[in-house]
Amino acid sequence: MIKKPNLILIGFMGTGKSTVGRFLAEKLNFAFVDIDEIIKRALGMDISEIFSRFGESRFRDIETEAVKAVAKKKGQVISTGGGVVLREENIVTLKKTGFLFCLTATEDVIFERLKYSKDRPLLQVSDPKSRIKELLLSRMPLYSKADYVIDTSSLSVREVTEIILKKYEELINGKT
Ligand code: S3P
């Protein structure tokens, strides 16, 4: 059986990639794959520990390896870490296997969703709100490389899922 192209979710931390991804996978009857979860399982550590023990650059190497491994299969919903776009190579690899959907949200919404999170090492700073703003600004051009961008700020998970499903069907049927 020929499997359908992957549906890949990219976007900043706290935009709902993993939650929406699980819903999408269920609806499409696809496998759900979360790159951060693969990394955590492989190393037996959470993301903060990986950052503190090995540094961000090593984390990015491991992330790129995980992307390559996951991209070997089709018929999957793939949720990526927010920084996956930092390496052009990852985008190229993922685009070859399917369609990229970018979830966005305003900095205030992201801050509210993540203010109690302890496993976002990049936001463990004295002023996380400014950090979010700064990272969002610098990454926006990278996130906009997606096939489709959706602002989740005022949408429910169900609504986001429906919009993406519709767009995914259009994309695989060649209607852009
Ligand atoms: C990161 C996002 C995180 C995780 C790591 C780095 C980033 O994933 O990969 O903390 O650089 O934006 P989520 O987007 O799932 O939080």
Side-chain angles (χ1 to χ4, degrees), residues 6-69:
N6 289 324
L7 193 165
I8 303 134
L9 298 174
I10 64 169
F12 203 78
M13 296 170 262
T15 51
K17 292 163 293 185
S18 302
T19 314
V20 170
R22 281 200 184 82
F23 269 83
L24 284 165
E26 203 180 300
K27 292 259 183 190
L28 289 163
N29 206 14
F30 279 15
F32 173 69
V33 188
D34 186 319
I35 304 273
D36 274 354
E37 289 303 321
I38 291 178
I39 297 172
K40 285 198 231 176
R41 242 181 286 134
L43 277 81
M45 290 172 216
D46 62 28
I47 302 290
S48 297
E49 197 177 347
I50 300 171
F51 267 69
S52 65
R53 287 179 62 167
F54 306 119
E56 179 174 350
S57 161
R58 179 78 191 109
F59 172 80
R60 298 295 172 204
D61 292 340
I62 300 167
E63 187 175 46
T64 297
E65 287 313 308
V67 165
K68 278 190 209 149

Side-chain angles (χ1 to χ4, degrees), residues 99-131:
F99 296 104
L100 258 64
F101 290 80
C102 178
L103 306 191
T104 67
T106 63
E107 59 196 69
D108 289 337
V109 168
I110 291 170
F111 177 72
E112 280 308 310
R113 290 180 186 165
L114 297 181
K115 62 183 176 190
Y116 302 118
S117 168
K118 290 274 167 278
D119 201 27
R120 288 339 197 280
L122 295 179
L123 302 182
Q124 304 308 306
V125 292
S126 56
D127 184 359
K129 209 165 188 177
S130 300
R131 185 91 173 106

